[in-house]
Amino acid sequence: MCVNEPLKMKTQRILITGSGAICGSGHTPQDILDALLAGRSAIGPITEWDTEGWPVRIAAEVQDYNAGKLTGDRKLLKHIRRSDVFGLYAADQAIEQAGFTPWRATLDEAAAERFADGTGVFVGSGGGGFANQYDYLPLIAAGHGELKAFGQELAATVNPLWLLRSLPNNVLGHVGIRQGLKGPNACITHHSISGLLALAEATAALRAGECSRAVVVAHEAPIEPQFVLYYHRLGLLSAEALRPFDARHDGSAMGEGAAALTLETEAAAHERGATVLAEMLGFGSASEGQGLLPVRDDGDGLVRAIRAALADAGLQPADVGLVVAHGNGTPNSDRSEARALDQVFGAQLPPVSGFKWAFGHLLAAAGLIDAVVALAVARAGTLPGIAGMGLQDSDAPALPVSAAPQSPRGNTLLVLSRGFGGTNAACLLRAAAA
């Protein structure tokens, strides 16, 4: 879709008119940017469970978590998970900033119905946490491994709403229900590139005329015992800090939260007199086919994804003003990402930064929250540095990264995301003037 998209699908400019985000660094995009510019990292001791004796004890938890306040509907909490709370909150922020609700209230009944039918919802979601299964653990223990005993007590022990709480498309469904949106929809579960793929799908639907506007959300809450333990056993987590592109990088760190954007065709945004935050320019996605965990040392998949995004946008490398790197802090990913950027841009590489050092790796939401924060960065005119950055890893090409803030070369932004299975995604956006 992203590489060989028909020209007829690109006649409409696709504009961003609202954004929202929540993570360990703050409850709004501006809060998050302020924390990044101040050099504050939200990665610290895990408080969600007792980590005494645990091999990894750090993550970036959302502070001041109040599910009822974040969703505005305490009854809904019986049906959704922590990750869903974040997704619904971010979606509400973006929809509010875009002004969908007050505009819709001015329409007559027929026009309001067309608005509902012409608004899609696209969500990047994790595949469901291990905590979804914890309701069964007491029952398994009480049954002493006997399947008959397990089955006899199942209905009396496990919450009957378990299935509803476990659905990976809860945010997709509830955004549509809460907002009365009836247009095309999709829930994408594709590890860490889920968020950017949801953004790509929404843009393609708008270009194709399937809808006039769309809400794009990505969410994840992986800070739970089994997630942390299994990622540690795979050698992917640091016990101290997330240090992208640093000679001391030794792993990533979990983060939680969500991000959201509202997209509209140029005609739809013009009709409402909407404030434009940015324009969607291009996407690329490519896989390396090496296996579930390995990445190619030369960054081939990421190279092809970036070049596909540039071709989709009709841009050259010199047109890019800043790069928000995946920068997850694992040595093999960081090194191959640096080689990919060097191969695509060479001496034309603009300032580079990454944000995971501050709020951790949000997995399915990682790419979309980077895009949301990148838009805030472009409008502020200052690219946050990587706090605590020391010597760069000498086993990879040197990048224009810094511990101090940098000035973007322009308002065209490249956002990168990578996931298991050798998957890579690249997104190009052009920020509007502040």
Side-chain angles (χ1 to χ4, degrees):
M1 176 194 67
C2 301
V3 179
N4 300 307
E5 193 174 80
L7 290 176
K8 67 179 181 179
M9 294 176 64
K10 299 191 66 174
T11 57
Q12 287 255 40
R13 293 176 66 209
I14 308 304
L15 307 178
I16 295 174
T17 56
S19 71
I22 181 171
C23 65
S25 292
H27 288 209
T28 68
Q30 188 60 52
D31 289 345
I32 297 165
L33 177 59
D34 290 344
L36 289 165
L37 290 172
R40 295 195 303 269
S41 173
I43 298 174
I46 294 171
T47 64
E48 291 181 33
W49 78 91
D50 183 3
T51 60
E52 184 67 30
W54 216 253
V56 173
R57 304 173 67 181
I58 60 168
E61 298 174 337
V62 168
Q63 303 300 305
D64 302 320
Y65 178 75
N66 183 324
K69 183 177 180 181
L70 292 173
T71 61
D73 184 354
R74 292 191 176 277
K75 293 182 180 179
L76 183 61
L77 301 182
K78 295 185 293 184
H79 304 280
I80 61 175
R81 301 169 293 145
R82 183 182 179 101
S83 177
D84 302 331
V85 170
F86 296 140
L88 293 174
Y89 174 75
D92 284 348
Q93 281 189 58
I95 291 168
E96 180 179 0
Q97 184 178 27
F100 282 1
T101 303
W103 166 257
R104 187 175 179 176
T106 68
L107 304 176
D108 60 34
E109 184 176 350
E113 191 64 23
R114 289 194 297 272
F115 183 99
D117 292 342
T119 305
V121 183
F122 298 82
V123 175
S125 169
F130 294 102
N132 290 344
Q133 313 302 323
Y134 292 174
D135 284 357
Y136 289 89
L137 298 183
L139 179 58
I140 292 172
H144 302 290
E146 294 292 333
L147 184 59
K148 183 177 181 180
F150 178 89
Q152 287 175 335
E153 296 299 322
L154 179 62
T157 307
V158 176
N159 190 322
L161 298 176
W162 174 86
L163 177 61
L164 295 180
R165 291 175 58 88
S166 304
L167 294 174
N169 65 333
N170 267 336
V171 170
L172 177 72
H174 285 293
V175 168
I177 293 167
R178 284 154 63 99
Q179 302 292 337
L181 307 179
K182 303 177 182 180
N185 56 85
C187 183
I188 298 172
T189 300
H190 201 14
H191 200 244
S192 298
I193 68 170
S194 299
L196 286 192
L197 287 184
L199 187 57
E201 290 289 344
T203 301
L206 289 161
R207 286 174 174 173
E210 296 174 10
C211 52
S212 298
R213 66 201 64 79
V215 181
V216 181
V217 191
H219 61 101
E220 187 83 279
I223 305 174
E224 55 183 54
Q226 282 175 271
F227 249 116
V228 172
L229 179 62
Y230 294 161
Y231 271 68
H232 161 72
R233 288 183 173 176
L234 290 172
L236 299 175
L237 297 183
S238 173
E240 297 180 351
L242 197 163
R243 304 184 180 97
F245 308 113
D246 195 295
R248 300 166 295 167
H249 55 180
D250 63 349
S252 197
M254 292 294 185
E256 62 179 1
L261 292 169
T262 55
L263 277 59
E264 302 183 60
T265 63
E266 184 176 23
H270 179 74
E271 180 186 11
R272 297 195 309 113
T275 299
V276 176
L277 304 181
E279 179 182 357
M280 305 306 304
L281 299 178
F283 293 92
S285 181
S287 178
E288 295 178 350
Q290 299 270 104
L292 286 177
L293 293 177
V295 294
R296 283 180 51 141
D297 290 341
D298 60 2
D300 170 74
L302 195 56
V303 168
R304 289 184 289 116
I306 295 170
R307 286 177 173 164
L310 288 167
D312 188 38
L315 298 177
Q316 298 298 318
D319 297 322
V320 177
L322 67 88
V323 175
V324 177
H326 182 66
N328 70 0
T330 60
N332 59 341
S333 180
D334 283 356
R335 289 167 184 161
S336 62
E337 185 171 16
R339 293 178 187 125
L341 289 170
D342 181 64
Q343 185 173 338
V344 173
F345 290 93
Q348 296 178 321
L349 185 58
V352 176
S353 191
F355 305 144
K356 291 181 180 63
W357 64 267
F359 48 69
H361 194 335
L362 273 63
L363 301 184
L368 196 63
I369 197 169
D370 280 350
V372 167
V373 177
L375 291 179
V377 164
R379 291 170 67 81
T382 304
L383 178 64
I386 298 173
M389 182 79 193
L391 294 175
Q392 286 194 51
D393 184 353
S394 60
D395 289 333
L399 299 176
V401 295
S402 170
Q406 302 183 74
S407 296
R409 190 170 68 188
N411 65 343
T412 298
L413 326 172
L414 174 64
V415 180
L416 304 177
S417 188
R418 314 182 79 184
F420 284 176
T423 55
N424 300 272
C427 168
L428 282 161
L429 312 91
R430 179 178 292 126

